């Protein structure tokens, strides 16, 4: 059984212009039948250089280890990300979330954090009646290492999706074509309406899962897949389904004439030098592989005992270890190579596996009809439930049921990989994505936010459920032309976090103060008539202006208030260089020491990053 985004919430804010263009691109693809615009958008020669990052990648530059400073990251927050990963080796809340983990994080071409912790192999057996695990003797346990190989589980879906997009580039596969065009047996009960895009975006209407492992032979497994009927009309619902990627596997094998494991090797891992990523790792790798689950009914569909060195997913195991939805094994470093390849437009160390326009499609939201379930071709987008504060409208990634995750953020050119053996010894010892969120929050904090003047700004923090106020001393404007102006930067979870600008006559009863913001990159001002803003602001500073027209010749108290009300948080809110002025005089200026000393801050701190 593979992990899915079943707890996805609606989280849509005010995406930056670049993100909107990606969403419009998705809409145009749908309107034009997909593949026509795809081919028109793709550049000619596969090796053509694009932006500077792509040109550097084509020159053969590779990932390297370096310091946080070299990566443009803040060391103490980067170390805190490792500390968060280590914390879940203990009770979480009762059992360890995982026996061990490897965390890798970087920015640009610098890997600034690569840490192994805990144990790759710890438990020999598990008794479901007593909920007790039997541990290996200390001498037989295997510590986690930076190069430990993990069963990547549903991260396999990303590789299958990349292979599909490669075939689109070569004209063998059309995004909007019905699947039965390539697999004539994939029909009946409405399956003939399912398109390739719907498989890649989990909008096919198929059920989430089917017990292929109950069929002893491949022919029976294929008959089971072909007999499955959509539970909903294709294109009308989002439902994460392993069946989508199993069907895509069969499609790819049909049109190429090659098995999926060979395609993975020849088209992705060999060109990129990902030599520790493959299906069905050999027996010689076993002691370098993290163990997964002690599989027995009723929590597993199979009775296999300790699964170690073989694929955990029951269906992938029944399919011979090679499946479109699960089965790939790999290391954190190899996943970092894949991350760097995608962030550089499909090229790494001079070897191109995708064109830049194809990578753009991977990160284009095709699921605009299903808010909160943003999805590119294979990649999940903007998911706070496991990305934490790394989630932006640009962020892409995926999780795996065994405890794996990958997050890419093109807006900061950063990547985070967390691999844990969280089903070792049993899947019921963990729930949710708490380590992923905690580590993602800390790593997001490690990407600095700098002011124009280089000094500190007021910062709201990133505490779940956090709130606070930043209150100016009472002022009395002499004219209706008075204005509050400042610089603001914000990133909150849409609908679950915001900052508010408020005014009061007595400092006790507060009312919203409407304001406008102007991006530092230019454009038209954006109006906020409710006196609050939230969501994604584009990782840039905005100039905020609020007229004090109604407060002419009246004392007024002004304050900024922030509130995070949901389970997840964004990068936070910054306020800088607060001034209140009218044509004839400056009523308040934060950069005047006497004025700054009169600010009352509750829940806000001064931060230079």
């Amino acid at each position: 059984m593979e992990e899915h985004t079943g707890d996805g919430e609606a989280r849509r804010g005010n995406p930056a212009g670049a993100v909107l263009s990606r969403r419009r691109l998705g809409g145009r693809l749908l309107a034009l039948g997909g593949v026509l615009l795809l081919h028109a958008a793709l550049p000619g020669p596969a090796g053509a250089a694009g932006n500077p990052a792509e040109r550097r990648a084509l020159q053969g530059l590779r990932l390297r280890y370096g310091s946080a400073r070299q990566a443009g990251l803040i060391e103490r927050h980067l170390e805190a990300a490792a500390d968060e990963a280590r914390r879940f080796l203990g009770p979480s809340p009762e059992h360890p979330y995982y026996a061990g983990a490897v965390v890798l994080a970087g920015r640009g071409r610098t890997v600034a954090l690569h840490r192994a912790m805990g144990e790759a192999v710890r438990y020999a057996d598990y008794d479901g009646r007593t909920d007790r695990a039997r541990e290996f003797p200390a001498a037989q346990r295997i510590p986690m290492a930076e190069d430990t190989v993990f069963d990547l589980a549903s991260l396999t879906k990303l590789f299958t999706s990349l292979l599909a997009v490669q075939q689109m580039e070569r004209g063998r596969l059309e995004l909007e074509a019905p699947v039965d065009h390539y697999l004539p047996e994939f029909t009946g009960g409405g399956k003939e309406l399912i398109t390739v895009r719907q498989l890649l975006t989990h909008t096919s209407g198929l059920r989430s899962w089917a017990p292929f492992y109950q069929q002893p032979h491949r022919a029976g497994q294929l008959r089971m897949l072909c007999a499955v009927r959509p539970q909903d009309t294709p294109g009308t619902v989002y439902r994460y389904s392993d069946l989508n990627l199993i069907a895509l596997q069969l499609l790819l094998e049909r049109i190429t004439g090659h098995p999926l494991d060979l395609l993975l090797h020849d088209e992705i891992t060999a060109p990129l030098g990902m030599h520790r990523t493959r299906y069905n790792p050999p027996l010689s790798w076993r002691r370098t592989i993290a163990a997964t689950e002690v599989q027995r009914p009723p929590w597993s569909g199979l009775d296999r005992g300790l699964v170690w060195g073989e694929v955990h997913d029951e269906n992938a195991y029944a399919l011979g270890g090679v499946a479109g939805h699960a089965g790939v094994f790999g290391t954190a470093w190899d996943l970092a190579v894949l991350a760097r390849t995608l962030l550089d437009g499909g090229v790494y160390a001079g070897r191109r596996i995708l064109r830049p326009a194809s990578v753009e499609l991977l990160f284009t939201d095709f699921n605009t009809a299903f808010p909160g379930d943003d999805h590119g071709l294979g990649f999940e987008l903007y998911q706070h439930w496991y990305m934490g504060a790394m989630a932006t409208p640009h962020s892409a990634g995926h999780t795996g049921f065994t405890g794996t995750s990958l997050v890419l953020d093109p807006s900061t050119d950063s990547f985070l990989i967390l691999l844990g053996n969280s089903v070792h010894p049993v899947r019921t010892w963990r729930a949710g994505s708490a380590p992923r969120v905690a580590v993602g929050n800390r790593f997001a904090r490690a990407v600095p936010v700098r002011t124009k003047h280089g000094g500190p700004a007021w910062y709201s923090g990133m505490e779940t459920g956090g709130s606070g106020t930043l209150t100016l001393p009472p002022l009395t404007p002499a004219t209706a032309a008075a204005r509050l102006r400042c610089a603001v930067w914000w990133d909150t979870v849409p609908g679950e976090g915001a900052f508010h600008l408020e005014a009061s006559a007595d400092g006790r009863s507060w009312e919203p103060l409407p304001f406008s913001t102007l991006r530092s990159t230019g454009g038209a001002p954006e109006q906020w008539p409710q006196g609050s803003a939230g969501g994604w602001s584009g990782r840039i500073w905005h100039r905020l202006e609020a007229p004090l027209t109604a407060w002419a010749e009246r004392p007024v108290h002004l304050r900024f208030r922030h509130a995070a009300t949901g389970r997840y948080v964004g990068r936070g809110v910054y306020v800088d260089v607060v001034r209140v002025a009218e044509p004839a005089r400056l009523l308040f200026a934060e950069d005047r020491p006497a004025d700054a000393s009169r600010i009352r801050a509750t829940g806000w701190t001064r931060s230079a990053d």
Side-chain angles (χ1 to χ4, degrees):
M1 180 182 297
E2 288 302 305
E3 189 156 22
H4 60 89
T5 58
D7 64 340
E9 307 87 3
R11 36 195 176 274
R12 176 67 55 205
N14 294 284
V19 179
L20 290 174
S21 67
R22 284 182 175 181
R23 299 184 69 192
R24 286 196 294 267
L25 172 61
R28 290 199 299 270
L29 278 163
L30 302 187
L32 296 179
V35 71
L36 297 179
L37 184 56
L38 172 60
H39 285 311
L42 294 175
N51 60 42
E54 293 167 38
R55 289 196 293 272
R56 289 193 294 271
L58 283 168
Q59 291 168 2
L61 297 181
R62 299 171 180 269
L63 283 172
R64 63 185 184 276
Y65 286 111
S67 66
R69 182 186 181 92
Q70 289 171 322
L73 299 168
I74 302 167
E75 184 173 8
R76 69 181 184 279
H77 296 306
L78 194 62
E79 285 299 317
D83 291 340
E84 287 288 354
R86 189 174 294 106
R87 180 166 63 89
F88 288 90
L89 295 173
S92 309
E94 180 180 357
H95 300 293
Y97 188 92
Y98 36 52
V102 175
V103 59
L104 184 151
R107 192 178 185 196
R109 279 173 190 80
T110 301
V111 173
L113 176 67
H114 192 184
R115 205 72 50 81
M117 57 200 69
E119 292 168 311
V121 182
R122 175 175 175 178
Y123 303 101
D125 207 347
Y126 170 77
D127 186 341
R129 295 168 299 177
T130 62
D131 192 30
R132 289 172 140 337
R134 178 170 63 84
E135 298 183 346
F136 282 106
Q140 295 180 27
R141 298 182 196 175
I142 300 177
M144 196 68 77
E146 291 177 354
D147 61 351
T148 293
V149 176
F150 285 80
D151 179 339
L152 299 178
S154 275
L155 294 190
T156 300
K157 294 178 171 70
L158 301 182
F159 292 101
T160 309
S161 301
L162 294 176
L163 292 169
V165 174
Q166 286 178 335
Q167 296 305 313
M168 293 178 200
E169 284 189 350
R170 297 166 192 175
R172 297 176 181 169
L173 185 62
E174 295 186 3
L175 188 62
E176 292 301 322
V179 176
D180 69 357
H181 178 74
Y182 308 98
L183 289 173
E185 64 271 33
F186 191 79
T187 187
K191 286 204 303 295
E192 60 276 2
L193 300 176
I194 297 175
T195 66
V196 173
R197 172 180 57 80
Q198 290 165 351
L199 295 181
L200 286 160
T201 59
H202 295 286
T203 55
S204 67
L206 294 175
R207 68 181 66 167
S208 298
W209 177 83
F212 295 104
Y213 58 82
Q214 293 179 353
Q215 297 292 325
H217 304 294
R218 188 172 182 85
Q221 295 162 356
L222 297 181
R223 283 196 300 271
M224 177 179 284
L225 178 64
C226 290
V228 169
R229 300 189 172 204
Q231 290 182 326
D232 298 275
T233 301
T236 63
V237 298
Y238 171 86
R239 181 186 298 111
Y240 183 91
S241 173
D242 290 348
L243 305 188
N244 290 323
L245 276 296
I246 295 173
L248 190 62
Q249 170 194 358
L250 300 179
L251 185 158
L252 289 171
E253 292 178 340
R254 180 70 57 84
I255 65 175
T256 64
H258 299 296
L260 193 65
D261 54 347
L262 182 62
L263 290 173
L264 174 70
H265 174 270
D266 291 352
E267 303 291 354
I268 299 177
T269 61
L272 297 181
M274 297 169 61
H275 301 306
R276 300 293 281 179
T277 300
R278 59 169 293 166
Y279 285 101
N280 286 327
L283 185 61
S284 61
W285 284 24
R286 190 168 190 251
R287 290 191 61 82
T288 69
I289 297 175
T292 55
E293 188 174 35
V294 178
Q295 287 195 348
R296 291 194 181 91
W299 60 87
S300 171
L302 297 175
D303 191 349
R304 301 167 62 194
L306 177 63
V307 179
W308 179 20
E310 294 181 315
V311 64
H312 168 266
D313 181 84
E314 294 95 332
N315 280 336
Y317 176 74
L319 290 165
V322 179
H325 71 292
V328 172
F329 286 70
T331 65
W333 183 268
D334 275 8
L335 287 176
V337 169
L338 179 66
R340 192 65 258 161
T341 301
L342 297 174
L343 288 169
D344 281 341
V347 62
Y348 179 79
R351 299 296 301 273
R352 181 175 292 284
I353 64 165
L354 284 175
R355 299 174 186 174
S358 299
V359 176
E360 187 77 6
L361 287 181
L362 295 172
F363 299 162
T364 294
D365 182 17
F366 287 89
N367 284 3
T368 55
F370 311 107
D373 292 316
D374 306 28
H375 218 288
L377 299 184
F379 282 82
E380 297 168 338
L381 311 174
Y382 205 14
Q383 300 296 313
H384 286 88
W385 72 269
Y386 71 89
M387 297 178 179
M390 283 191 73
T392 76
H394 301 268
S395 298
H398 215 284
T399 62
F401 188 75
T402 53
T404 59
S405 60
L406 166 69
V407 182
L408 317 176
D409 180 14
S411 72
T412 60
D413 199 28
S414 60
F415 48 92
L416 173 64
I417 294 139
L418 179 61
L419 305 179
N421 52 355
S422 65
V423 296
H424 183 55
V426 67
R427 67 190 72 183
T428 55
W429 273 19
R430 70 91 200 265
S433 285
R436 295 164 176 150
V437 172
V439 176
N441 285 349
R442 292 294 188 178
F443 181 57
R445 184 74 174 90
V447 180
V449 174
R450 302 299 191 198
T451 60
K452 185 176 181 180
H453 54 78
W458 289 106
Y459 178 48
S460 69
M462 295 171 55
E463 294 301 318
T464 303
S467 63
T469 56
L470 190 67
T471 308
L472 307 188
L475 306 169
T476 304
T479 71
R483 298 282 190 276
L484 178 147
R485 294 186 176 93
C486 66
V488 293
W489 188 108
W490 73 92
D491 170 32
T492 67
V493 179
E496 297 184 358
F499 78 91
H500 309 262
L501 182 58
E502 298 171 324
S504 171
D506 56 13
R508 294 186 297 272
S509 299
W510 296 87
E511 62 185 63
L513 182 63
F515 59 87
S516 64
T517 56
L518 179 65
R519 298 166 63 89
S520 59
T521 53
E526 188 167 6
Q527 303 299 321
W528 306 92
Q530 303 303 315
S532 66
W536 168 251
S537 70
R539 283 201 71 88
I540 59 174
W541 285 90
H542 297 241
R543 179 178 176 83
L544 180 149
E545 181 171 316
L548 301 177
T549 307
W551 297 95
E553 299 182 345
R554 298 170 55 200
V556 60
H557 300 253
L558 300 170
R559 76 176 186 184
F560 296 88
R561 178 171 60 87
H562 76 85
T565 59
R567 296 174 57 189
Y568 309 108
V569 296
R571 182 61 176 78
V573 181
Y574 291 83
V575 173
D576 192 32
V577 194
V578 182
R579 294 191 172 200
V580 181
E582 51 193 359
R585 64 180 177 141
L586 187 61
L587 298 175
F588 177 89
E590 184 190 348
D591 48 358
R592 295 192 305 206
D595 286 349
S597 66
R598 300 174 66 197
I599 294 177
R600 290 187 290 113
T602 302
W604 294 73
T605 59
R606 297 287 284 171
S607 176
D609 49 35

